[in-house]
């Protein structure tokens, strides 16, 4: 990725955003920006070709134990609208910060959802039950998220099934969670996983996509999406160190409509 030449350039760009008008409704094609005072930075920023992330009105973060203690009130005050919080991994791992993050985000008024990091060793039924065991059904929460990506660093499970098997397991997991929570989960994935498994062929599913160097219309041409994870090196008040930052595909009115239909 191509970094700005100086931190000062990045600060100037971010300061500029605070005075820009609100994003017009109508989806990802608009060019006007958010009135939200942007307090976000990036320790490794890039120059975007196309519609840059700050040209979206609604921003959020995703977190796990790696972020340590989070000051959720500061996070909310910085303009973070939503957070996806890691809950479970595989069939037996609970993120040790999940309960604290879940309570903190809720008390601070951050729209919150939980995600599961999928392994291709335990059966999908086992992993779904583990998630359900640890993630409460509470009013107003965001849909659950199924995080599907390759895990080459796992000491126990680096299996890479063919795409057809990946999609079969995903459907089982999604169906079980939908029956339990009354919400169809969102699928999170990376570019490598997307290309190698054809997970985008799963019709009718909602996607959260990662691309930290290219806009999604370039990285995932033709793919519909609701959330874009655009950096893993974000700087957000209330979080020590780097954090993933995401945008919602739409303006504030569309976000309100999405919450009304998808948060339960």
């Amino acid at each position: 990725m191509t970094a700005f030449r100086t931190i000062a350039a990045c600060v100037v760009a971010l300061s500029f955003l605070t005075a820009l008008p609100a994003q017009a409704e109508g989806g990802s094609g608009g060019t006007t920006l958010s009135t939200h005072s942007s307090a976000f930075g990036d320790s490794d920023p890039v120059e975007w070709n196309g519609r840059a992330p700050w040209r979206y009105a609604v921003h959020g973060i995703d977190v796990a134990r790696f972020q340590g203690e989070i000051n959720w009130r500061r996070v909310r005050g910085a303009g973070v609208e939503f957070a996806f919080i890691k809950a479970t991994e595989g069939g037996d791992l609970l993120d040790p910060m999940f309960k604290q993050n879940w309570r903190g985000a809720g008390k601070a008024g951050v729209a919150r959802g939980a995600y599961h990091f999928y392994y291709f060793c335990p059966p999908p039924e086992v992993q779904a039950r583990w998630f359900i065991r640890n993630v409460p059904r509470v009013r107003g929460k965001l849909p659950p998220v199924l995080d599907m990506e390759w895990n080459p660093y796992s000491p126990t499970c680096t299996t890479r099934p063919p795409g057809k098997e990946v999609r079969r397991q995903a459907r089982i997991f999604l169906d079980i969670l939908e029956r339990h929570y009354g919400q169809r989960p969102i699928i999170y994935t990376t570019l490598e996983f997307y290309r190698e498994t054809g997970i985008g062929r799963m019709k009718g599913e909602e996607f959260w996509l990662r691309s930290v160097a290219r806009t999604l219309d370039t990285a995932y041409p033709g793919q519909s999406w609701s959330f874009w994870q655009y950096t893993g090196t974000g700087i957000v008040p209330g979080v020590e160190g780097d954090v993933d930052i995401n945008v919602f595909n739409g303006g504030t009115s569309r976000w309100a409509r999405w919450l009304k239909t998808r948060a339960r």
Side-chain angles (χ1 to χ4, degrees):
M1 56 184 72
T2 304
F4 285 117
R5 293 190 179 278
T6 64
I7 295 298
C10 180
V11 172
V12 169
L14 289 170
S15 299
F16 167 73
L17 298 177
T18 64
L20 292 167
Q23 176 185 356
E25 289 301 307
S28 60
T31 57
T32 55
L33 311 184
S34 173
T35 55
H36 254 10
S37 177
S38 177
F40 310 144
D42 200 311
S43 64
D44 188 17
V46 303
E47 295 175 353
W48 296 96
N49 291 319
R51 189 181 181 189
W54 52 80
R55 291 182 174 269
Y56 293 84
V58 181
H59 292 248
I61 60 176
D62 60 276
V63 300
R65 66 184 183 276
F66 310 109
Q67 276 69 50
E69 297 273 345
I70 295 174
N71 184 328
W72 285 100
R73 291 189 181 278
R74 287 194 69 201
V75 167
R76 182 68 187 97
V80 168
E81 297 284 348
F82 64 88
F84 288 112
I85 301 168
K86 184 176 182 180
T88 52
E89 182 174 327
D92 58 2
L93 191 150
L94 173 66
D95 189 290
M97 294 298 293
F98 171 67
K99 292 180 181 179
Q100 182 174 328
N101 283 330
W102 187 255
R103 288 192 301 266
K107 288 180 180 179
V110 177
R112 58 188 174 163
Y115 75 87
H116 174 79
F117 188 92
Y118 196 84
Y119 273 28
F120 288 100
C121 293
E125 296 88 348
V126 170
Q127 298 188 62
R129 288 195 295 268
W130 178 242
F131 183 89
I132 288 168
R133 178 177 169 181
N134 288 286
V135 178
R137 279 190 292 194
V138 294
R139 186 174 181 83
K141 73 174 182 63
L142 302 181
V145 173
L146 171 60
D147 178 350
M148 299 199 95
E149 54 187 295
W150 299 132
N151 187 18
Y153 307 109
S154 170
T156 60
C157 184
T158 56
T159 302
R160 294 192 176 205
K164 185 177 180 179
E165 176 61 14
V166 166
R167 299 191 297 273
R168 184 191 74 83
Q169 293 189 31
R171 288 190 189 96
I172 293 171
F173 185 95
L174 297 171
D175 289 347
I176 293 173
L177 264 61
E178 183 178 18
R179 288 194 295 268
H180 180 78
Y181 294 105
Q183 298 165 292
R184 188 69 174 176
I186 297 166
I187 298 173
Y188 167 91
T189 197
T190 64
L191 185 57
E192 179 190 24
F193 191 91
Y194 178 90
R195 288 174 170 171
E196 293 183 4
T197 66
I199 198 165
R201 300 177 199 167
M202 296 180 66
K203 302 303 181 184
E205 305 296 351
E206 189 169 15
F207 284 91
W208 169 18
L209 303 173
R210 174 179 174 84
S211 179
V212 298
R214 291 185 290 164
T215 56
L216 294 188
D217 59 342
T218 301
Y220 301 83
Q223 176 63 54
S224 64
W225 59 277
S226 292
F227 297 92
W228 169 19
Q229 184 186 82
Y230 66 85
T231 183
T233 54
I235 301 171
V236 174
V239 182
E240 293 292 331
D242 293 344
V243 65
D244 297 334
I245 308 181
N246 308 269
V247 296
F248 171 73
N249 188 13
T252 53
S253 295
R254 180 177 289 183
W255 172 241
R257 292 194 299 270
W258 187 90
L259 285 175
K260 187 174 182 179
T261 58
R262 292 291 274 135
R264 298 179 185 174

